């Protein structure tokens, strides 16, 4: 088990891609379950929480996944972390 370290650029891109793919599969834009992000928005009603361990690399991975999931703009992950 690895402890410590930093999230690499490739790891960040992979986490963002995983979040985007999760959004596409779970919240499709078209078809009977359509609605895309609007459905996601109405489902969670502004209260989406993603939990991770307190290790920095893991938190940054979770933030990158959330960025891809929510299709957020910008390059910084810091404002996502609370």
């Amino acid at each position: 088990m690895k402890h410590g370290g930093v999230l690499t650029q490739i790891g960040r891109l992979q986490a963002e891609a995983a979040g985007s793919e999760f959004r596409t599969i779970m919240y499709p834009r078209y078809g009977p379950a359509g609605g895309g992000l609007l459905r996601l928005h109405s489902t969670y009603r502004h209260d989406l929480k993603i939990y991770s361990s307190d290790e920095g690399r893991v938190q940054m991975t979770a933030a990158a996944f959330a960025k891809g999931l929510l299709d957020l703009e910008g390059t910084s992950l810091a404002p996502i972390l609370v």
Side-chain angles (χ1 to χ4, degrees):
M1 176 174 261
K2 181 177 181 179
H3 294 281
V6 295
L7 180 63
T8 64
Q9 184 64 25
I10 292 174
R12 178 180 170 163
L13 293 174
Q14 288 175 341
E16 286 183 30
S20 179
E21 185 173 349
F22 182 85
R23 180 187 73 243
T24 302
I25 292 169
M26 296 303 294
Y27 298 96
R29 285 188 170 176
Y30 307 105
L37 282 177
L38 290 177
R39 187 168 145 235
L40 173 69
H41 180 72
S42 66
T43 302
Y44 287 106
R45 303 198 193 287
H46 308 285
D47 194 23
L48 174 66
K49 295 179 184 176
I50 298 174
Y51 294 91
S52 74
S53 72
D54 59 352
E55 188 177 336
R57 178 177 44 87
V58 178
Q59 290 180 347
M60 294 301 285
T61 302
F65 180 88
K67 184 176 184 290
L69 174 67
L70 300 174
D71 198 22
L72 300 175
E73 296 178 351
T75 59
S76 176
L77 296 178
I80 299 172
L81 298 173
V82 178

